[in-house]
Amino acid sequence: MKLRANLVIGGALFALAILVGLLAPWLAHTDPVLDANLMNAEEPPSWTWWFGTDGQGRDIYSRVVYGARISLTVGIVSQLINSVIGVALGLSAGYFGGWWDDVVNALTNLMLAIPSLIFALAIMAVLGPGLTSLLIALGLTNWSFTCRIARASALSLRSQGYVQAATVLGYGDFRIMFTQLLPNMLGPLIVIGTLGMGSAVLSEAALSFLGLGVRPPFPSWGSMLSEARDQITTAPWLSVFPGLAIFLTVLGLNLLGDGLRDSLDPQSRSRRT
Amino acid sequence: MTAAPLLEVEDLRIDLDDGARRVAAAEGVSFRISRGETFGLVGESGCGKSITALSLIGLLRPPLSIGSGVIRFEGREIQHLSAAAQRDLRGNRIAMIFQEPMTALNPVSPVGRQIAEMFVLHKGKSWREANQLAVEALASVRVPAPERRVHDYPHQLSGGMRQRVMIAIALACGPDLLIADEPTTALDVTVQAEIIELMRNLCAERGTAILMISHDLGLVANVCRRVAVMYAGRIVEERGSADIFRAPAHPYTQGLVDSLPRLGSRAALGRTRLKEIAGVVPAITSFPDGCRFNPRCAQASDICRTNAPTADFLEAGGLVRCHHHA
Amino acid sequence: AEAQTPRKGGTIRMTAPYGSSFTSLDIHTTQRAQDEIYAKALHRSLYIWNSAEGKPVLELAREDVVSGGGLVHTFKLRDDAYFHNGRKMTADDVIWSYNRIMDGAKAYPGARYVRVIEGAAAVEKGQAKEISGLKKIDDFTIEMKLTEKVDPGFYFFTALTSIYPADEAAKDGFIQKPIGLGPYKFVEHVPGSRIVLERWEKFYKPGKPYADKVVVAVMGEAAARDVAFRNKEIDTSVLGPAQYVAYQSDAALKGTVVEVAEVFTRYMGMNPAFKPFTDKRVRQAINYAIDTDLIINKLVKGKAYRATSWLPLTSPLYDKEMKPYAYDPAKAKQLLAEAGYPNGFEFEWTTSQNESWGLPIVTAVIPMLDKVGIKAKVKQVEAAVLSEVVRSGDYQAFIYSQQTGPDPQAALKCFHSATPQSACNYMNFRNAEFDKLIDEAGQADDIAKRGQLLQKANALLYEEAPVWFFNYNKAVMAVQPWLHGVQLNATELTHQNVEDLWVDETSPAK
Amino acid sequence: MHEPRDRAVERKPDDDVILSVEDLAVHFPLAGGLFSRDRRLLRAVDGVDLTLKRGECLGLVGESGSGKSTVALSILGLQAPTRGRIVVDGQAVTDGPSSDRKALARTVQIVFQDPYASLNPRQTVRRTLEDPLRVHGVTAASEIEDRVATMLRHVGLRPEQAGRYPHEFSGGQRQRIGIARALILNPKIVICDEPVSALDVSIRAQIINLLLELKDTLGLSYIMISHDLGVVEHMSDRVAVMYLGRIVENGHWREIFERPAHPYTQALIAAIPDPLRHAPLATTGGDLPNPLNPPNGCAFSPRCRYAEDVCRHEPGPVLGTRPDGHTVRCWRADEIAGSGVLAATE
Amino acid sequence: MLSFLIRRLLQTIPTVLAVVLLVFVLFSVVPGSIASTMSDDADPQVELRLKKQLGLDDPVYLRFGTYVARLATGNLGASFRTREPVTTMIAKRAWPTLQLIFASMAFAVVLGVPLGFVAALRPGGIVDSAAMVLAVSGLSLAKFWLGLLLMYLFALKLGWLPSFGYGDGGGKYLILPAVTLGVSPMALLARTTRAAVLEIMTADFVRTARSKGMSEVRVVKWHVMRNALVLILTTMGLQFGALMGQAVVVEKLFSWPGIGSLLVDSVLQRDIPAVQGSILVVVLFFLAINLLIDLLYGVIDPRIRYA
Ligand SMILES: Nc1ncnc2c1ncn2[C@@H]1O[C@H](COP(=O)(O)OP(=O)(O)OP(=O)(O)O)[C@@H](O)[C@H]1O
Ligand SMILES: Nc1ncnc2c1ncn2[C@@H]1O[C@H](COP(=O)(O)OP(=O)(O)OP(=O)(O)O)[C@@H](O)[C@H]1O
Ligand SMILES: [Mg+2]
Ligand SMILES: [Mg+2]
């Protein structure tokens, strides 16, 4: 696997984000929630407050650091849910075909027809704001691409010699799906998963903006950015740092996805699905 | 035939840049083709036939490039010509047919237009005239109802028809040399026979020389007057086709001929065990030293393992590249 | 600046900041503050809010003669008020409008006000066709019999009780092109974008309105409003705390800020059914434990007034003598200990995400409560959900903003034990002494006496502390220097009597 | 090598026949692409009868798209037939893919054409060979290892190579692995679907020899599908020629190659170029007909130089038996037989 | 062709019904109701009447039944909030949204496709790298943040464009929202185009074209473009869906009076008929666009025929 610039840069950015999230308790200067000292409200960036403080006097640097946890959780977990749903449906549809395939196809078309942000908005309205709701909302609404790719791969792999051979050898359906099909479609799935994580992080920000985001005790970058938007002219540091964190992480994920695609599948760059 | 050769290839070397280093995908390739001659190039998959062909019309793309050697067309060196000058030759004087007639034609363009392009590009015709000429060209490759067929798209034609269209394109400007890279590999034998005959007749009519590339010994033997056999990037033997298979000089050629289950041989000789060539075709990155066939050759001796054999010109004409040739 | 003589002409560009659309052009159907902004230009009610006097005054009537022991009001209507189609308003229009509002099948929100007229409730229930307490004496005189001794001004000044043209409004299509009595007539409504109005030449106040045109643009996004205001694309903008500070500290914008104490009280409501909160001492402890001033100064950026009890600063009965609970964590701890919670307790705090009285406040309070041992767990809900939670009593604590004026009697009545929780007694407050005070005030004929009683009730609330008294809203609006005549309306700063506004030549608007 | 197979089979009179295919038809409804409405029927296989005897190699030849692979897939239970009956070793498999797949797996196996696509790139050779044993209830680790090693040696690979992944092998070696996989369950019948056409020419002989050896040592029966008439002639005992979903000629290899009676068989043989013969290739004229729109009457009639009116009539000819015992589907077989041998030998 | 159209239209019915059902079920369990959003402290009596009037007390299946029955006659019901027919409400919002969506897509195509082409002609070159960095960056920005930054820069600092609103409906009001919305499809189109061109450049028929003696420019013009268009169209079709979603954010930010802002308001205020109607219209729009794109495929790609 040739190392490409986008793979390296993207991987590094993403790894950095993960690392920051993991090491948050050690990296952060203060508690992101409880260390609110209104006496220090809205300090601009300085040596004491690297990224400045917010309206409640909390250290933005620490909040950005802890924000990595929430934002990455949102990105990773919701995309995992998407992947599991998409792969389960797509793989089985492509493998079994028939009416089940029709059903899955109809479902996928349905999901494609409702813009996912709108669907997520509706789900958030039902479940109420919060991290779990958000994970569910984003996890349930973005699996159609994964599903299509899994289905298409399963369809094409199904006629491959080794899959037919497995059938001829008397393997059970599940054994075939898990040992013959799944491992051979992982490449594009990983790519789309990576890109999906990025878009989940952005969706979280968009939902926050629309008033249906995540507001657990720990901040997410999206909610920080959304809250700070009124002060973009007066206290720009409030939005610049979470904004940059989102930008760099999503950029990293996108680059990583591109890089993986190029490396895993040098022939067909981003074929349509 | 005494005329100056139409095409002369001398000591051609084609480099493959695999990122870390350059390896010779083909080397020491030399051959000549006279006007109107049919010349065959056979060899197994990956031995370098196609890249040799592509190098002749300047279509090598990175990571492949011409490393050294001379390609003379009508006595003129063409490997260093400007891009524009090469384009003038390409299609116009030297044309090429590819293996896969399905993918070699643009799926979203009517075949008539794809033929007409040739007249626009090289004969300065207007599209209107060119389209008219395209109908004629299609008729000349014996496509029925050509005036209707020009509007068809490739997917509406059968494989044989598509290959006829390819031939019409290639012969549109009356080239002097036609390079046919496995023109019938994708076709069924009965269709193959037709395409080959068509090609052969048309070229004979127009005096077009053919460089016929194939891995099918039988086909080449039938079509060509002279045949070169390639193995692992080198031409190992080049002879008149009547001789080369009947009395092969190179152990590889010999092995190939012997290993084929030929039609009728069982009836004649009963079922005998086929003669095998031991071992496998070497990968391009790990060509053996010396004679590249030596690991698989029963007659190989020490010299074969160290020194690459040079071309021996045979009395009966042709050449062979073997330390121990018959 | 007011020394100049008002200029005629020009365009006033106001903004509607509370959401990204107007609800309806039928102002009877909507009681959102957003809609009343345009309604102030388009419609008129029997009374109007006079910001300078801080009370409702007669608008469509010239006089009100009270009789029948304070229950019967005889209004002399103006005879120079014309609907925008040129027809003169008469008593029939008033009666028709009030009857319409009481149509039970339609559930118009204004019913809560008109219900004060005798016989209105019967119409609502479908038992009568017309309100029996409302009589036409002649074309310009009506007699109104009330069920309670209240000042009808507080009931008939909002746009919810606007007077519609009787026949015209009954027709289809009226709502697409509404007609009213206001200083401006309707031109167009681009849903989600703006309402455009133009001067009504036959408006009854001489020389008014001044401007030719009024545009009310819907702009829910504060950040966008900020840019637009700085970019001189709009004439008014409502400011949140962050922008309040920013505008004040910006030399170019400082002069544009106008502010007023609005009749809203922000508080944390505590559910007496939740064990710790049954104890008054616990509720008081919470009031002591929170450094309210700090929150107001730092977090709310001074864009609020410290609440001393329930009735707000601009309420006619506001008690200047009252002092807010001091910040005294020690006292709080002591009270908690006395109440049997020396180690504090834990509760769930339901909040919306509102920046002035929602999640940010809660987040700031949590560490303060933590210091006295009380652990608060946040439960965030949407605004739509919060109001239901509050009404159903399905909470341990919540934070809210409640209108506490302009009528002090109505505001305090919320705590009367006869007021159901779903109405506005959200804390399900029950206190016999308090009930007595309110009842007596309701009977009192003497205004001063009534005021004393109500102030007493207000003080009792302070002592009982059913809530954490947080603040009274300070409404802040930025107003471009070329817009004059802005009124400091304590009921809602954005509700401007548009006929008094005018723009000078420096306005960039065409 | 031969373990007793625990299967209660009522031995039929014709004990010799291990596989019989009767009137097999496979029709594919074509949606005609994403956008077209008409659902046309592609008759990929249309009334095929075949029998395979124990220890025999049956060659199946015909042009691309004539339905050879589809017949194979039906026998393997991978393709549900539209009609017809397939009996493998006394058991009917016609119920489609869901019928007892495991029992069938121990009887019939397949070797695929493409040695690259037929091995799972993410499994080692060992895994590829061990898994089928496990699926079929062999659990003892030593037995599994034994059998894998034996099989690898059988196909000419070294057991040490079992830990490698497919991409570490050459095409010929991969095909050996494919053969090993087909044989690991000790099947009785092996279907070879063009086992050598994707291989380097210099490797083909190795694989052909290997297949023939295994057939003898393991007592296998083959169905050998190929384009390459040379290979078919070399390997087969009997040969069936398919054209457009039907068998047009079927008989002993000698009869088919020396006395082809069907014009199509004749054309096929005549079109094969031979390295030692320099004659113009015999051309047939015309293209393969569109299988979606087959010609009336005899499917070959539009390309047949002997075609007469009767040939173009509906319905097509039936299989008739030649004096030498092989069957032909041609109206004029009697007249044509023997006349077209111009090409068979020089 | 016509029958193809009709068939495709019929095929959308199940999708539409499923959408209706989905949204209906979702909003039948949503906490909070329109009544509680009418005001902070509404009159409980009025509220009860309102609920009754709106049928909120009826069981879900009954409401769903009535809804579908009405839907069949093209009636989307009346908004809880405005008491206007939802159809009228949406009709007024549709044009601004269409303007916005098509303007963004136009921006995306006009910028993205040429960028992709230029990048693909010299893969790995400076233009390519710059274009792709730009494209990936465009994909990685939170939309509302980008919108704010643009607003800040072009309206406030440079004073070139109005910052908000629909204004007099003039084009200058459209530019900032359209650009904000168009950045990510632009980026995606640039990438798709690049990838498509690169892929097609390796196709056999391109080699054939070169073997004819064609210059690279001609190769691209005569043989690559049309083939690339198929892939570009596919991306466009899917992007329309994403655009409808993102429009919600952008419309809200720029006070653009489209369906997106109607939708958010309606969701937040539990105006179920309006939510239902807006989502339905968004879905129908997406389906219509994709139908159109399918038809375009037929024009571009002869392999696709509408029998
Ligand atoms: N674009 C390329 N990149 C890398 N290697 C290449 C490329 N094209 C050809 N090669 C290598 O060059 C060698 C010769 O290839 P070539 O296509 O000439 O073989 P061939 O003789 O035509 O084979 P075939 O019969 O399969 O067409 C092969 O080993 C092949 O892998
Ligand atoms: N799953 C399928 N769906 C539709 N058509 C099919 C399917 N499988 C095969 N066909 C069609 O059935 C016909 C017979 O196919 P089959 O693969 O059996 O031919 P074949 O004789 O094996 O050809 P080849 O020599 O090319 O392998 C072909 O026209 C093919 O296109
Ligand atoms: Mg080649
Ligand atoms: Mg086949």
Side-chain angles (χ1 to χ4, degrees), chain D:
Chain D
M1 266 318 290
H2 285 116
E3 289 152 43
R5 292 193 183 81
D6 51 344
R7 234 176 308 142
V9 184
E10 6 130 20
R11 297 266 147 165
K12 288 212 192 115
D14 194 358
D15 201 25
D16 255 7
V17 175
I18 191 162
L19 165 74
S20 73
V21 174
E22 289 160 32
D23 192 29
L24 177 71
V26 181
H27 298 172
F28 295 109
L30 288 193
L34 185 53
F35 297 98
S36 114
R37 170 188 38 163
D38 59 336
R39 305 200 153 252
R40 288 180 295 178
L41 210 56
L42 189 143
R43 296 165 198 273
V45 174
D46 204 13
V48 161
D49 298 292
L50 285 175
T51 52
L52 178 67
K53 299 208 178 76
R54 276 178 207 282
E56 182 186 54
C57 174
L58 172 69
L60 200 53
V61 296
E63 271 166 307
S64 183
S66 56
K68 307 180 296 291
S69 299
T70 308
V71 170
L73 295 183
S74 302
I75 295 171
L76 290 160
L78 286 176
Q79 173 66 59
T82 311
R83 83 168 181 261
R85 194 176 135 79
I86 297 169
V87 180
V88 175
D89 203 14
Q91 286 191 319
V93 291
T94 358
D95 307 339
S98 58
S99 65
D100 191 358
R101 214 193 251 171
K102 281 195 188 172
L104 189 65
R106 289 188 291 260
T107 316
V108 195
Q109 281 299 329
I110 181 164
V111 175
F112 291 98
Q113 165 176 4
D114 186 349
Y116 290 87
S118 64
L119 295 178
N120 187 341
R122 314 222 170 239
Q123 283 187 355
T124 59
V125 172
R126 172 171 294 115
R127 179 100 196 271
T128 298
L129 296 180
E130 284 178 347
D131 272 5
L133 293 173
R134 293 213 185 88
V135 167
H136 287 266
V138 183
T139 45
S142 60
E143 186 187 351
I144 291 180
E145 205 184 319
D146 251 23
R147 283 177 69 171
V148 168
T150 319
M151 189 46 69
L152 282 174
R153 268 187 231 105
H154 264 307
V155 297
L157 293 170
R158 295 190 309 276
E160 311 85 88
Q161 294 172 308
R164 299 204 204 154
Y165 284 90
H167 69 262
E168 299 173 70
F169 292 93
S170 72
Q173 288 171 317
R174 283 158 164 261
Q175 198 59 306
R176 289 172 195 267
I177 299 166
I179 293 169
R181 179 183 59 195
L183 299 180
I184 192 84
L185 293 178
N186 295 331
K188 295 177 186 170
I189 305 169
V190 176
I191 299 178
C192 305
D193 193 351
E194 318 222 18
V196 296
S197 45
L199 298 180
D200 280 329
V201 184
S202 64
I203 305 297
R204 288 185 188 173
Q206 300 174 3
I207 299 296
I208 292 171
N209 287 339
L210 174 66
L211 284 170
L212 287 173
E213 277 164 29
L214 290 170
K215 174 169 171 282
D216 292 340
T217 49
L218 303 180
L220 301 167
S221 311
Y222 283 164
I223 292 183
M224 174 74 202
I225 298 174
S226 183
H227 277 117
D228 188 332
L229 291 191
V231 173
V232 171
E233 187 196 41
H234 182 77
M235 291 185 69
S236 309
D237 301 307
R238 273 188 314 119
V239 176
V241 183
M242 284 187 78
Y243 190 76
L244 227 60
R246 287 164 181 257
I247 303 250
V248 295
E249 191 161 6
N250 186 352
H252 191 262
W253 68 269
R254 201 176 268 279
E255 271 122 42
I256 298 292
F257 285 101
E258 292 188 346
R259 287 179 295 282
H262 196 283
Y264 173 63
T265 317
Q266 294 179 357
L268 209 53
I269 292 171
I272 306 285
D274 186 289
L276 299 184
R277 195 191 66 210
H278 298 263
L281 299 171
T283 57
T284 316
D287 259 339
L288 276 181
N290 181 352
L292 279 172
N293 186 16
N296 285 339
C298 171
F300 190 61
S301 60
R303 304 174 68 190
C304 180
R305 54 180 155 139
Y306 306 106
E308 290 179 344
D309 274 355
V310 57
C311 302
R312 301 185 187 100
H313 284 173
E314 296 172 77
V318 292
L319 270 180
T321 309
R322 303 277 310 134
D324 56 13
H326 84 274
T327 51
V328 185
R329 191 188 294 275
C330 176
W331 291 122
R332 306 187 57 205
D334 291 340
E335 303 154 57
I336 298 165
S339 68
V341 228
L342 60 128
T345 45
E346 196 179 355

Side-chain angles (χ1 to χ4, degrees), chain E residues 26-92:
Chain E
L26 274 181
F27 278 85
S28 64
V29 294
V30 75
S33 83
I34 179 79
S36 57
T37 69
M38 293 297 282
S39 130
D40 289 335
D41 40 11
D43 177 0
Q45 296 187 38
V46 167
E47 229 175 86
L48 286 179
R49 283 172 192 281
L50 194 64
K51 277 193 170 175
K52 188 144 183 263
Q53 186 213 338
L54 299 175
L56 287 174
D57 295 336
D58 296 340
V60 186
Y61 63 89
L62 207 68
R63 280 193 279 154
F64 184 66
T66 357
Y67 188 81
V68 173
R70 267 200 319 225
L71 193 65
T73 67
N75 181 351
L76 291 175
S79 155
F80 286 175
R81 216 156 28 114
T82 69
R83 305 183 184 200
E84 245 185 308
V86 172
T87 0
T88 338
M89 267 171 102
I90 289 175
K92 289 183 196 149

Side-chain angles (χ1 to χ4, degrees), chain B residues 44-46 48-51 99 181-182 213, chain E residues 207:
Chain B
E44 287 176 274
S45 184
K49 306 182 294 292
S50 296
I51 57 173
Q99 170 173 347
D181 187 0
E182 316 215 22
I213 295 175
Chain E
R207 192 181 55 185

Side-chain angles (χ1 to χ4, degrees), chain C residues 315-355:
Chain C
S315 170
L317 295 182
Y318 176 73
D319 188 348
K320 291 188 189 63
E321 302 306 312
M322 288 183 70
K323 291 276 159 293
Y325 280 95
Y327 173 52
D328 190 346
K331 179 96 182 270
K333 270 206 165 117
Q334 182 205 330
L335 283 169
L336 282 174
E338 284 171 21
Y341 300 98
N343 300 320
F345 58 93
E346 198 182 306
F347 73 96
E348 186 185 72
W349 194 348
T350 308
T351 176
S352 75
Q353 161 205 331
N354 190 291
E355 67 168 333

Side-chain angles (χ1 to χ4, degrees), chain E:
Chain E
M1 182 76 171
L2 190 69
S3 75
F4 163 75
L5 262 179
I6 293 173
R7 212 156 20 85
R8 274 296 304 263
L9 288 178
L10 288 179
Q11 277 171 9
T12 60
I13 291 180
T15 312
V16 170
L17 277 182
V19 170
V20 172
L21 181 68
L22 197 69
V23 179
F24 213 100
V25 169
L26 274 181
F27 278 85
S28 64
V29 294
V30 75
S33 83
I34 179 79
S36 57
T37 69
M38 293 297 282
S39 130
D40 289 335
D41 40 11
D43 177 0
Q45 296 187 38
V46 167
E47 229 175 86
L48 286 179
R49 283 172 192 281
L50 194 64
K51 277 193 170 175
K52 188 144 183 263
Q53 186 213 338
L54 299 175
L56 287 174
D57 295 336
D58 296 340
V60 186
Y61 63 89
L62 207 68
R63 280 193 279 154
F64 184 66
T66 357
Y67 188 81
V68 173
R70 267 200 319 225
L71 193 65
T73 67
N75 181 351
L76 291 175
S79 155
F80 286 175
R81 216 156 28 114
T82 69
R83 305 183 184 200
E84 245 185 308
V86 172
T87 0
T88 338
M89 267 171 102
I90 289 175
K92 289 183 196 149
R93 302 288 194 128
W95 175 232
T97 292
L98 285 184
Q99 270 178 295
L100 180 60
I101 301 257
F102 283 112
S104 338
M105 191 47 92
F107 166 76
V109 170
V110 166
L111 225 69
V113 172
L115 203 63
F117 260 102
V118 171
L121 291 184
R122 290 240 179 291
I126 291 184
V127 181
D128 182 27
S129 308
M132 288 308 115
V133 167
L134 196 74
V136 187
S137 305
L139 280 179
S140 310
L141 277 165
K143 284 297 138 326
F144 69 88
W145 198 44
L146 172 69
L148 272 176
L149 295 177
L150 289 178
M151 195 188 275
Y152 190 69
L153 181 64
F154 288 99
L156 196 52
K157 287 281 149 226
L158 299 173
W160 292 352
L161 293 164
S163 66
F164 83 102
Y166 194 50
D168 45 14
K172 64 180 178 193
Y173 292 93
L174 185 55
I175 297 176
L176 282 183
V179 168
T180 307
L181 190 55
V183 161
S184 61
M186 187 270 279
L188 275 169
L189 274 177
R191 283 153 50 109
T192 315
T193 306
R194 175 178 179 274
V197 170
L198 279 182
E199 186 182 329
I200 293 165
M201 291 299 258
T202 64
D204 281 359
F205 65 82
V206 169
R207 192 181 55 185
T208 307
R210 291 190 179 126
S211 82
K212 290 173 169 178
M214 218 177 268
S215 64
E216 285 301 289
V217 176
R218 282 222 169 113
V219 170
V220 170
K221 247 170 57 187
W222 287 1
H223 292 282
V224 175
M225 280 220 206
R226 210 180 157 106
N227 280 284
L229 219 54
V230 177
L231 296 177
I232 293 171
L233 264 188
T234 309
T235 309
M236 276 176 64
L238 292 173
Q239 278 311 298
F240 270 107
L243 275 184
M244 297 292 308
Q246 295 297 335
V248 170
V249 171
V250 172
E251 286 182 2
K252 188 150 187 270
L253 183 63
F254 287 95
S255 309
W256 190 259
I259 293 179
S261 60
L262 173 67
L263 181 68
V264 185
D265 268 13
S266 307
V267 168
L268 294 180
Q269 297 185 20
R270 305 297 189 257
D271 186 353
I272 299 173
V275 171
Q276 187 97 16
S278 316
I279 293 187
L280 201 61
V281 167
V282 167
V283 167
L284 284 177
F285 174 75
F286 177 81
L287 294 175
I289 285 285
N290 278 282
L291 177 60
L292 195 75
I293 283 182
D294 280 350
L295 290 177
L296 277 180
Y297 279 146
V299 176
I300 292 170
D301 191 339
R303 285 166 292 188
I304 294 164
R305 268 180 303 149
Y306 313 101

